[in-house]
Amino acid sequence: QEIQHSTRSNLFDAYVRMNYASFTRLSVGSVLNVITTETQRASGSFAALFAIISNVIVMLGFSIVLFFISWQLTLTALLFIGGASLLVVSLVRKTPQISHDVTTANKNYSQLIIDLIGAFRLVKQTGSASRVATRVRATSHELRDLNYSLSRVGARVDLIMEPFIVVSGGLVI
């Protein structure tokens, strides 16, 4: 939470310190997207980093204990985990592009909502509420699909890692 708070505050401070000409070139949706979504992604990245560090420390500890029990077993377990890691790396390579697409879609959605809230009276007067609602639904649908893509990558990683961990643990026993 502290990372999110600091990032949000620092980003807003940076926007406030911008000169007026630069600020007017930015869309409200873009600013809102960076302050909210990118802040959440940054804190998620830190959480993932800490999880990786703690998992590496635990794995090193287990490997040392396992090495004292049997070096052959240690080598076999490390080969299994290494194989799983290669599979995970092949899946994770897709995430930077998907993440970029999510950011763009979220910016577009935020900008669309802000524009439509600002033009609420015009939407009502022109009778275009149904058309506008369809446009918002389509933009939200695109954002949902991209987020599902990221979730599917995470689920595949979990599905790949689980059997490898179970087999490696079974080898130890």
Side-chain angles (χ1 to χ4, degrees):
Q1 294 301 322
E2 182 60 30
I3 292 170
Q4 285 184 349
H5 167 69
S6 297
T7 306
R8 274 192 306 263
S9 298
N10 292 338
L11 283 170
F12 188 76
D13 289 347
Y15 283 122
V16 171
R17 288 191 308 271
M18 290 176 78
N19 65 43
Y20 186 74
S22 297
F23 186 77
T24 57
R25 286 191 298 252
L26 298 172
S27 69
V28 176
S30 176
V31 173
L32 182 64
N33 182 56
V34 169
I35 290 176
T36 57
T37 306
E38 296 305 310
T39 297
Q40 291 172 351
R41 287 180 53 193
S43 67
S45 296
F46 278 106
L49 176 64
F50 294 136
I52 289 170
I53 291 170
S54 64
N55 286 335
V56 166
I57 291 170
V58 168
M59 193 169 122
L60 285 174
F62 282 137
S63 296
I64 290 169
V65 170
L66 188 58
F67 183 77
F68 284 116
I69 295 171
S70 167
W71 69 267
Q72 296 94 343
L73 201 54
T74 305
L75 183 61
T76 305
L78 290 176
L79 286 173
F80 267 91
I81 291 172
S85 299
L86 292 175
L87 289 171
V88 168
V89 166
S90 70
L91 283 174
V92 172
R93 286 185 187 172
K94 301 173 185 176
T95 59
Q97 182 59 48
I98 298 171
S99 295
H100 181 270
D101 293 345
V102 167
T103 300
T104 301
N106 198 19
K107 180 189 84 157
N108 293 341
Y109 182 76
S110 298
Q111 185 63 50
L112 177 63
I113 295 298
I114 290 167
D115 289 347
L116 292 174
I117 289 171
F120 184 76
R121 185 174 174 191
L122 181 63
V123 169
K124 287 299 199 180
Q125 289 176 341
T126 59
S128 59
S130 176
R131 190 172 62 247
V132 165
T134 300
R135 186 171 163 207
V136 168
R137 239 181 263 109
T139 306
S140 178
H141 184 78
E142 176 190 6
L143 185 56
R144 181 200 69 187
D145 289 347
L146 290 167
N147 280 312
Y148 278 161
S149 295
L150 282 176
S151 295
R152 281 192 298 268
V153 170
R156 287 179 184 145
V157 167
D158 289 343
L159 285 173
I160 288 171
M161 288 305 292
E162 193 70 32
F164 278 96
I165 290 170
V166 169
V167 168
S168 296
L171 289 173
V172 172
I173 293 173

